Every structure is written in C-alpha cells, then in structure tokens.
Amino acid sequence: MEEPHSMNSPRRVLSFSRKGKDTLFVPNHDNSRTSSIAVSGQHGPKPSEVYGFVGTISTVVATVIFLIWAYLPENWLHFVGIFYYPNRYWALVVPTYTMVTVTLAIVFYIGLNFMATFPPTSLTTIFDDYSRDALNSSDLSMEDDEWPIEPISDIGIHLINDLIFKDWKS
C-alpha cells in the first residue's frame, strides 16, 4: 500500500517516510509487492548556507549602520540617543586606504609576474626540460598502419615561421 506523500513514476515510487529517513520503493513487475531501499538524506540547511545567510545579513546591517553614521547630521544622532561614535574623518579614510591598498597589491602582483617571466628573446620560452623533438620516420620501429596518431612532440619554430610567413617571401 502506498503512503499518502508519494510521487508516482513509471518505474518507481518515491516515498518520504515520517521516520526521518527517505525510503525508495521500487515496485515489482507483478505490482503485488514492493521492495524498499533506504536512502540516506540530511534534512535542514547545510552549514555553508547558514554562514552565507548570516554573512549576507551582517554585511547589509553593517552597510546601513556605516551609511547612517557617515551621512546623518550629529544632532539627529544625538536625538536618537547615539552620543559615542568615531570621528567622521574615518568615513573617508578607511574606504580610500582600502582602495589604494587593493590597487597597489594588484600592481605589485603584476610586477612580480613580469619579473618572474623570461624575456621574449630567451630560449627558455621555446625549449624546456619537457620539450620533445619530432620523431623521424626512421626512428619509428612499427609500420605506418600501427601508428594511428603521431607521438606528441613540439613543432620547430622554423616550421611555424614557414607556415605563417611563406606568402610574404618574395
């Protein structure tokens, strides 16, 4: 007999039991008996979802408090009952320092990458420890029909230049 909270499909009936487990009922071909398989399921929100929700709400609340502190006149804050707060100077300084720090960090990171990169005239931009020369047909011990794909290798710069610039030769 089916439970009241089930979904029917041509191949199976998925039933959510009230015991805290999900049970998957698979009907037999004769529809006289159904076999059940317990499916482990975790109910409730995941911790990452909770942290994301709390982080989002905290960010919105902090932004609203910052904007109220930065833009409302002092007599309105005193009327509400807020008498102690940081100087308004920090409302300009902290975002400015943050933006300058992020910009300098990006420039510094790009500079480090330029310093770690070899110059374009260096042979290390063409060859390294893992470079492989193309094999000649005499190097292959097997016949042609046994090699469906050539072994991996680097293409020489002279072949690339010939392919790219052959129309420019006069």
Side-chain angles (χ1 to χ4, degrees):
M1 182 173 182
E2 292 184 10
E3 294 183 25
H5 303 291
S6 63
M7 297 184 309
N8 293 325
S9 74
R11 296 183 185 221
R12 67 177 177 252
V13 177
L14 179 64
S15 174
F16 302 105
S17 69
R18 296 182 182 166
K19 298 175 186 175
K21 290 185 179 178
D22 294 340
T23 307
L24 180 67
F25 289 100
V26 181
N28 291 338
H29 293 291
D30 59 352
N31 288 333
S32 61
R33 298 181 354 189
T34 57
S35 61
S36 64
I37 303 169
V39 178
S40 65
Q42 191 178 32
H43 299 290
K46 296 179 183 176
S48 60
E49 294 172 354
V50 174
Y51 294 148
F53 177 75
V54 170
T56 302
I57 297 299
S58 302
T59 303
V60 169
V61 169
T63 304
V64 168
I65 290 172
F66 174 78
L67 293 174
I68 288 172
W69 164 66
Y71 291 110
L72 281 183
E74 288 186 19
N75 56 0
W76 287 20
L77 292 175
H78 291 277
F79 178 74
V80 174
I82 301 173
F83 295 101
Y84 178 74
Y85 46 86
N87 192 351
R88 301 283 172 103
Y89 167 79
W90 294 106
L92 294 174
V93 170
V94 170
T96 305
Y97 282 174
T98 304
M99 288 189 314
V100 168
T101 303
V102 168
T103 303
L104 289 177
I106 291 171
V107 169
F108 183 71
Y109 180 72
I110 291 171
L112 282 177
N113 283 330
F114 276 127
M115 287 174 45
T117 304
F118 291 105
T121 57
S122 174
L123 290 178
T124 55
T125 58
I126 301 172
F127 301 107
D128 62 357
D129 295 338
Y130 301 102
S131 297
R132 295 183 185 179
D133 292 332
L135 297 175
N136 295 331
S137 59
S138 61
D139 294 339
L140 300 176
S141 60
M142 299 184 176
E143 296 180 15
D144 289 340
D145 55 345
E146 292 183 18
W147 286 98
I149 300 173
E150 285 188 28
I152 191 168
S153 63
D154 293 331
I155 301 173
I157 192 71
H158 62 283
L159 293 175
I160 294 174
N161 285 337
D162 287 343
L163 289 172
I164 293 175
F165 303 116
K166 68 180 175 182
D167 294 337
W168 288 13
K169 292 181 181 178
S170 43

